[in-house]
Amino acid sequence: MNPVEGALVKRLDLIAELTDEDREALAALPITLRSVEAGADIVEEGQRIRDCCLLLSGFTHRYRTLIEGKRQIIAFHVPGDIPDLHSLHINVMDHSFAATVNCELAFIPHEAIWQLCTERPAVAAALWRETLIDGSIFREWIVGLGRRTGLQRTAHLLCEMAMRLRAMGHSDGLRYHLPLTQNVLADALGLTVVTVNRVLQELRQADYVERERSRMTIHNWPALARLAEFDGGYLHMRQPPNMSVEMRPEDAI
């Protein structure tokens, strides 16, 4: 399967109505494949870029670093996301974008995306909707950082990642791969590593979740969602996955 068809088309189908012709046009986009090692910057703050990056496998994150060296992670991305889609309009990065783990990426020239948007209005609308959803996720993170407790923030992030990965077929029910170290979680949640460790232990002792290395298992989705005050509506999926039941093994990828 074409890499774009397997990732980007699947992602856009979650949030917009596309025709078969739209999907074929997306799959025909010119791409340059690239592997990036964990921890390496894909794009640095202040860099001028001329293409958009499609995440094919792995995890990435966006971040800002303060003068004294403190880092704030402002977003995580899963396969199918285009983390720098906004660069079509703002082509000088105001933050950095890095590989959280080893990643496979596809780079699509801006010119090709602009031409496709001109020729396929439904695709242009879908990409615009994708950027709006990105903003919706930012707003939810701001609320969490400003008003939720450390326990609630952590629970909310675990719920969000579970729903996003399940929607894209990258989890088998409420078990999913979450290759985020406690340092990375701390920088995303605005907490210390000590606090992250403590809240994860609290969630485990309450039998809400269990984490074994990079494998996260949610034992009690309703309770975890209540604790986090999680409502996946801000992800704006056309048909959100049912998180209250397990997927059948044959449904998982």
Side-chain angles (χ1 to χ4, degrees):
M1 179 181 291
N2 179 290
V4 175
E5 185 178 4
L8 178 57
V9 172
K10 188 171 185 177
R11 168 60 192 163
L12 295 182
D13 272 334
L14 286 175
I15 64 169
E17 293 187 21
L18 299 175
T19 66
D20 289 341
E21 291 77 13
D22 292 330
R23 297 184 187 95
E24 290 172 3
L26 281 163
L29 283 168
I31 61 173
T32 300
L33 298 177
R34 178 181 160 197
S35 299
V36 179
E37 294 184 354
D41 279 340
I42 300 165
V43 180
E44 296 181 357
E45 183 176 348
Q47 184 176 340
R48 183 176 294 274
I49 55 179
R50 296 179 175 82
D51 47 24
C52 288
C53 172
L54 168 65
L55 178 59
L56 300 177
S57 67
F59 276 71
T60 62
H61 60 272
R62 292 190 266 175
Y63 71 96
R64 291 286 307 278
T65 303
L66 301 181
I67 293 176
E68 63 268 30
K70 294 180 180 179
R71 179 180 67 167
Q72 177 65 49
I73 292 176
I74 55 178
F76 288 120
H77 290 282
V78 303
D81 288 351
I82 308 183
D84 56 358
L85 187 57
H86 61 277
S87 68
L88 283 169
H89 298 276
I90 305 174
N91 60 4
V92 176
M93 290 289 282
D94 56 17
H95 60 278
S96 296
F97 167 43
T100 315
V101 297
N102 294 342
C103 294
E104 294 294 328
L105 307 166
F107 291 85
I108 309 170
H110 285 170
E111 293 82 357
I113 298 177
W114 276 118
Q115 181 177 350
L116 179 59
C117 289
T118 300
E119 296 171 351
R120 312 295 309 181
V123 172
L127 293 175
W128 174 231
R129 181 174 172 82
E130 176 72 353
T131 62
L132 294 176
I133 293 172
D134 201 35
S136 177
I137 294 173
F138 273 135
R139 289 190 291 275
E140 192 68 26
W141 277 42
I142 290 171
V143 171
L145 287 171
R147 294 302 179 195
R148 293 190 178 105
T149 66
L151 187 63
Q152 288 176 313
R153 285 181 231 171
T154 306
H156 198 280
L157 179 62
L158 297 180
C159 288
E160 177 184 306
M161 299 309 297
M163 181 170 282
R164 290 170 63 185
L165 287 165
R166 183 165 183 172
M168 288 295 294
H170 294 292
S171 74
D172 56 344
L174 298 178
R175 294 178 295 275
Y176 61 97
H177 182 56
L178 189 70
L180 307 179
T181 66
Q182 291 188 9
N183 280 309
V184 168
L185 287 170
D187 286 349
L189 297 168
L191 304 172
T192 65
V193 175
V194 172
T195 302
V196 169
N197 181 271
R198 176 176 57 79
V199 297
L200 287 174
Q201 290 297 326
E202 288 182 32
L203 292 172
R204 182 186 62 79
Q205 290 167 5
D207 200 30
Y208 288 177
V209 304
E210 181 180 356
R211 188 180 188 190
E212 184 178 356
R213 296 186 179 180
S214 63
R215 173 64 65 177
M216 179 66 65
T217 301
I218 299 177
H219 290 303
N220 192 334
W221 173 265
L224 187 68
R226 279 196 303 272
L227 172 64
E229 299 181 0
F230 179 80
D231 178 353
Y234 70 96
L235 298 173
H236 298 284
M237 297 178 188
R238 294 169 61 206
Q239 295 181 328
N242 183 355
M243 302 301 295
S244 62
V245 296
E246 289 287 342
M247 288 173 63
R248 298 170 299 173
E250 59 266 29
D251 292 335
I253 294 179

